[in-house]
């Protein structure tokens, strides 16, 4: 939430910052701004609204070799130009961009106002700029001024400071909000996410909490809060910049939906994760000893939002394939309850970004109580990836649309592998393991067959796009898919929708059903099919308009449902990887029909780094 970028080098910083902000805009798009040093003075340009608004007011010929930029997701202070970042300290000597929340800003602000400091915004961030300005005025050098400021503020931050009197210098600081440094040849970059940097350099340094970095064009030095030097490893990231382009698609979301056959193939193919001859999976990153597979008695999976739906499927797979009691929890809820952490429980944290505050804080809580947490993470080098005891990268590649699609299917695929590995270490037979491995290998082609029906889904979307609300129903592994389909529709089309268990609907919510209510029902071959078809009859009997997503050719479904989206058959455990696609497309096309901004839905940001 909030995107930060900074540059120091010999090129003009302005286009580099603007291009970086474009890649970070998914983190927030309430307002945007850049600041740079021009002839010993700070030049700050900022504007409410999408980045295009800022672009439109950038002075022609604005040029500087040092600058910072920000794209905002508002927390403190409304959405307007004054509250956009960079925030500037009194005297115009220091500017700062911030991602996070300063908990004690109110007390600090009162103190500064009592000292006659005039504030120009309602943000918590301005307190940081004003404090740094005071220390600079008192004669501190920039690094000391930043350090003194950090000693006073409590909360979460990724920060980058810029100084009028020190062109060629930026200072970054991290506590709870990510910051990554990009190391180039005679130039340096800093950003809240490697996306903004990959185009310029693959060499990165991930800052950890409590670290600051002083950056010049040729050098950087990282220190902890006590000013002791910290040696950091320069890592090379593998993403190519093209991964973050739209490749001719209208939106990132559509591109990412269509990428799923490849991203899921990467999730099981990367590094030879499937071992066909032994009918198992190889997941070295879990760092588990043979004994662990027998000693683990339970699995608990934490996540938020879409990742939570993947976690629910993960728990289902762990129980049905590996026969280990497993449950998924909304991370923030588990944390509220002061989690009971058990030695024999293995914990998993699922997150695309690896930065979601609710999941991260719960991961930390579990680990602080001695629990072992495995990450199921997409973003390499993210905070959760670095703080977990081991884990699996899902290899979905950069996910740019705010609504998660390909990360979800890659998370589900990762749990298929984890469940297969545990199952084979415990009591799944070689032949059953081989058969599952063979079915996994077929999935990318089956996914392509689902995607080939996009036009049919678009037709259905048009037909129902004026409906005021939708229900989504499923059982077993299709229950989280119903929840995921409903979430996609809410978040990108702003249409009220509810995903629920097809068993639970008759215990109250069925009262909502009438001739205007589209009810999307997921019915797949397997243990739950008959009951799901029974549920469809009940919805139809109440005049609900059933849209069926199914992999069976059953005359009852064609009779009951007003529209049927047919997906290829696979075993029930793998069916979520196919049934979710029409639901992603349905939400997408309804949103397009309603003229929503699909990649940047209102009120949202991709990584929610506040609790
Ligand atoms: C919905 C969506 C969110 C995220 C959630 C967790 O499309 O993207 O619900 O799934 O905010 O984010 P990560 O996976 O980054 O932890």
């Amino acid at each position: 939430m909030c995107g930060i970028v900074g540059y120091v080098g010999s090129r003009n910083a302005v286009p580099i910052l603007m291009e970086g902000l474009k890649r970070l805009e998914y983190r927030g798009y309430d307002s945007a701004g850049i600041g740079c040093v021009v002839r010993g003075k700070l030049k700050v340009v900022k504007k409410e609204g999408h980045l295009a608004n800022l672009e439109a007011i950038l002075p022609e010929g604005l040029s500087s070799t040092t600058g910072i930029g920000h794209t905002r997701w508002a927390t403190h202070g409304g959405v307007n130009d004054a509250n956009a970042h960079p925030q500037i300290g009194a005297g115009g000597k220091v500017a700062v961009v911030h991602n996070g929340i300063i908990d004690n800003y109110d007390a600090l602000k009162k103190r500064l106002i009592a000292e006659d400091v005039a504030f120009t915004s309602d943000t918590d961030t301005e307190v940081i700029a004003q404090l740094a300005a005071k220390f600079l005025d008192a004669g501190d050098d920039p690094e000391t001024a930043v350090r003194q400021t950090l000693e006073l503020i409590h909360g979460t931050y990724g920060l980058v400071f810029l100084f009028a009197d020190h062109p060629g210098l930026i200072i970054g600081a991290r506590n709870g909000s990510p910051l990554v440094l990009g190391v180039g040849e005679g130039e340096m970059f800093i950003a809240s996410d490697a996306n903004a940097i990959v185009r310029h350099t693959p060499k990165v340094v991930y800052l950890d909490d409590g670290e600051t970095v002083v950056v010049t064009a040729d050098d950087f030095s990282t220190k902890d809060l006590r000013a002791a030097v910290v040696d950091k490893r320069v890592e090379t990231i593998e993403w190519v910049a093209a991964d973050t382009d739209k490749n001719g698609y209208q939106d990132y979301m559509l591109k990412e939906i269509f990428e799923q056959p490849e991203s899921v193939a990467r999730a099981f193919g990367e590094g030879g994760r499937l071992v066909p001859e032994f009918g198992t999976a190889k997941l070295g990153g879990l760092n588990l000893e043979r004994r662990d597979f027998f000693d683990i008695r339970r699995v608990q999976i934490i996540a938020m939002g879409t990742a939570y739906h993947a976690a629910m499927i993960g728990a289902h797979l762990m129980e049905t394939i590996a026969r280990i009691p497993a449950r998924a929890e909304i991370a923030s809820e588990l944390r509220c309850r002061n989690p009971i952490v058990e030695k024999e429980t293995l914990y998993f944290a699922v997150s695309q970004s690896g930065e979601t505050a609710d999941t991260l804080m719960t991961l930390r809580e579990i680990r602080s109580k001695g629990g072992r947490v495995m990450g199921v993470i997409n973003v390499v080098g993210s905070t959760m990836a670095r703080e977990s005891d081991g884990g699996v990268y899902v290899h979905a590649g950069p996910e740019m649309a705010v609504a998660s699609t390909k990360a979800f299917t890659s998370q589900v695929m990762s749990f298929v592998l984890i469940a297969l590995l545990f199952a084979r270490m415990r009591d799944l037979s070689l032949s059953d393991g081989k058969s599952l491995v063979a079915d996994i290998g077929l999935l990318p082609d089956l996914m392509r067959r689902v995607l080939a029906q996009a036009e049919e889904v678009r037709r259905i979307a048009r037909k129902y796009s004026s409906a005021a609300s939708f229900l989504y129903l499923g059982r077993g592994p299709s229950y989280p898919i119903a929840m995921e389909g409903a979430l996609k529709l809410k978040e990108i089309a702003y249409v009220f929708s509810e995903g629920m268990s097809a068993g639970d609907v008759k215990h109250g919510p069925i009262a909502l059903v009438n001739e205007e209510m589209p009810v999307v029902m997921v019915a797949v071959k397997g243990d739950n099919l008959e009951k799901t078809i029974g549920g469809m009859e009940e919805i139809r009997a109440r005049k609900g308009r059933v849209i069926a997503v199914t992999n069976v050719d059953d005359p009852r479904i064609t009779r009951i449902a007003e529209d049927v989206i047919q997906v290829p058959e696979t075993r029930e455990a793998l069916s979520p990887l196919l049934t979710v696609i029409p639901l992603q497309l349905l939400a997408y096309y309804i949103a397009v029909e309603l003229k929503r901004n699909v990649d940047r839905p209102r009120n949202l940001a991709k990584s929610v780094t506040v609790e």
Side-chain angles (χ1 to χ4, degrees):
M1 172 148 286
C2 294
I4 291 179
V5 61
Y7 173 81
V8 46
S10 54
R11 291 191 276 161
N12 181 7
V14 177
I16 295 171
L17 297 174
M18 290 302 290
E19 200 257 342
L21 289 181
K22 260 186 204 135
R23 294 183 183 278
L24 292 174
E25 209 185 4
Y26 69 86
R27 297 181 72 94
Y29 30 81
D30 295 336
S31 55
I34 60 165
C36 48
V37 187
V38 181
R39 287 185 292 279
K41 286 203 163 55
L42 290 184
K43 174 77 186 162
V44 167
V45 191
K46 50 192 191 172
K47 193 72 197 152
E48 176 186 338
H50 288 177
L51 201 52
N53 298 3
L54 172 67
E55 215 157 17
I57 60 157
L58 275 185
E60 207 161 311
L62 180 63
S63 180
S64 168
T65 52
T66 314
I68 57 179
H70 187 266
T71 173
R72 181 170 187 239
W73 188 85
T75 59
H76 292 61
V79 177
N80 56 39
D81 294 353
N83 290 338
H85 299 205
Q87 289 290 321
I88 312 166
K93 294 291 185 190
V94 58
V96 66
V97 287
H98 172 214
N99 171 23
I101 290 178
I102 304 306
D103 298 329
N104 62 338
Y105 90 100
D106 202 32
L108 291 170
K109 186 168 178 173
K110 284 189 180 124
R111 225 162 84 189
L112 287 163
I113 289 173
E115 292 168 20
D116 285 337
V117 174
F119 277 76
T120 58
S121 80
D122 306 317
T123 62
D124 51 343
T125 306
E126 191 180 350
V127 163
I128 303 172
Q130 299 295 9
L131 285 171
K134 267 190 99 65
F135 289 118
L136 286 172
D137 274 355
D140 283 348
D141 61 80
E143 192 182 342
T144 314
V146 167
R147 205 165 284 292
Q148 302 259 48
T149 302
L150 298 183
E151 273 176 25
L152 294 176
I153 59 176
H154 303 147
T156 54
Y157 50 79
L159 293 168
V160 186
F161 294 84
L162 178 73
F163 307 90
D165 296 336
H166 301 268
L169 171 76
I170 52 178
I171 298 184
R174 169 187 167 142
N175 189 45
S177 304
L179 264 191
V180 53
L181 183 76
V183 182
E185 297 284 325
E187 57 183 1
M188 300 278 177
F189 308 81
I190 194 161
S192 38
D193 173 325
N195 268 337
I197 289 176
V198 280
R199 189 161 282 256
H200 303 289
T201 175
K203 292 196 179 140
V204 296
V205 175
Y206 294 102
L207 290 199
D208 287 305
D209 281 351
E211 288 177 355
T212 58
V213 62
V214 175
V215 190
T216 60
D218 300 306
D219 203 6
F220 68 91
S221 97
T222 34
K223 294 188 183 157
D224 64 18
L225 284 179
R226 291 188 311 278
V229 172
V230 184
D231 275 333
K232 303 290 289 184
R233 201 157 57 92
V234 180
E235 299 178 34
T236 305
I237 45 176
E238 289 164 15
W239 291 350
V240 283
D243 284 349
T244 57
D245 289 338
K246 282 191 199 154
N247 290 347
Y249 284 93
Q250 193 179 326
D251 326 273
Y252 281 118
M253 184 175 173
L254 193 61
K255 174 195 170 219
E256 288 161 7
I257 290 173
F258 272 86
E259 261 174 28
Q260 291 178 104
E262 290 73 39
S263 50
V264 160
R266 275 199 303 276
F268 68 73
E270 199 80 11
R273 285 176 166 179
L274 282 181
V275 193
E277 59 278 29
F278 293 109
T280 189
K282 199 174 73 191
L283 297 168
L286 288 178
N287 300 329
L288 291 176
E289 306 280 328
R290 263 161 194 280
R291 272 234 60 78
D292 294 326
F293 290 94
F294 304 103
D295 292 345
I296 290 161
R297 304 281 297 275
R298 268 175 297 281
V299 161
Q300 191 159 25
I301 312 173
I302 56 162
M304 301 301 292
T306 286
Y308 169 65
H309 300 151
M312 288 173 76
I313 296 172
H316 182 90
L317 295 169
M318 290 306 280
E319 289 208 349
T320 52
I321 299 179
R323 306 297 299 152
I324 301 174
R327 65 170 204 232
E329 279 262 8
I330 292 179
S332 56
E333 288 300 320
L334 183 65
R335 186 151 185 254
C336 291
R337 291 206 311 274
N338 183 14
I340 300 165
V341 175
E342 295 170 312
K343 211 166 96 220
E344 318 76 44
T345 300
L346 184 64
Y347 297 85
F348 287 88
V350 191
S351 175
Q352 187 286 127
S353 61
E355 305 292 348
T356 300
D358 291 309
T359 313
L360 175 62
M361 298 314 282
T362 313
L363 174 153
R364 286 180 178 159
E365 179 68 16
I366 294 169
R367 292 197 75 231
S368 75
K369 289 179 164 170
R372 194 151 39 145
V373 188
M374 301 292 154
V376 177
I377 311 285
N378 189 35
V379 176
V380 176
S382 57
T383 309
M384 277 184 236
R386 285 177 297 123
E387 290 195 17
S388 43
D389 295 281
V392 177
Y393 278 125
V394 307
H395 295 304
E399 190 179 63
M400 306 297 287
V402 165
S404 185
T405 53
K406 64 173 181 168
F408 172 80
T409 41
S410 295
Q411 288 158 354
V412 172
M413 178 44 74
S414 302
F415 274 111
V416 171
L417 302 183
I418 295 166
L420 170 63
L421 172 64
F422 271 81
R424 285 288 291 130
M425 292 301 284
R426 291 158 78 112
D427 68 356
L428 191 77
S429 71
L430 174 62
S431 65
D432 286 348
K434 281 185 167 176
S435 147
L436 179 53
V437 168
D439 287 356
I440 292 170
L442 300 175
L443 280 167
D445 272 342
L446 299 183
M447 294 175 96
R448 278 182 202 107
R449 280 169 53 194
V450 182
L451 287 165
Q453 296 179 63
E455 272 311 308
E456 170 63 3
V457 180
R458 188 206 286 248
R459 181 194 67 74
I460 295 171
R462 284 198 181 121
K463 177 172 164 190
Y464 294 93
S465 62
S466 58
S469 53
F470 283 66
L471 280 182
Y472 286 71
L473 305 177
R475 279 174 185 264
S478 302
Y479 164 37
I481 292 302
M483 292 176 71
E484 176 58 9
L487 174 59
K488 289 283 98 74
L489 188 66
K490 288 178 224 194
E491 67 178 329
I492 60 164
Y494 322 145
V495 174
F496 182 81
S497 45
E498 186 74 19
M500 65 185 74
S501 142
D504 202 29
V505 69
K506 56 188 175 301
H507 297 274
I510 202 165
L512 293 165
V513 174
N514 61 18
E515 61 281 1
E516 278 162 22
M517 172 77 84
V519 183
V520 181
M521 298 195 67
V522 184
V524 295
K525 192 168 178 180
D527 297 343
N528 299 296
L529 182 64
E530 285 308 311
K531 287 204 174 69
T532 308
I533 294 178
M536 269 185 201
E537 297 275 16
E538 289 155 16
I539 297 291
R540 190 62 209 135
R542 283 148 187 88
K543 301 195 169 55
R545 304 174 71 184
V546 174
I547 304 165
V549 174
T550 185
N551 63 6
V552 291
D553 185 9
D554 190 306
R556 289 172 297 172
I557 296 181
T558 23
R559 174 176 52 77
I560 304 166
E562 199 171 316
D563 287 283
V564 180
I565 303 168
Q566 199 76 36
V567 299
E569 196 182 315
T570 182
R571 63 173 74 207
E572 190 175 21
L574 300 181
S575 66
L577 290 150
L578 303 182
T579 52
V580 76
I581 296 174
L583 302 195
Q584 296 167 339
L585 288 168
L586 186 67
Y588 174 82
Y589 287 124
I590 291 176
V592 169
E593 202 59 28
L594 297 176
K595 308 218 171 346
R596 310 299 192 214
N597 187 335
V598 174
D599 281 342
R600 294 175 204 152
R602 69 183 180 203
N603 304 340
L604 292 177
K606 186 145 184 80
S607 347
V608 184
T609 52
V610 290
E611 278 185 277

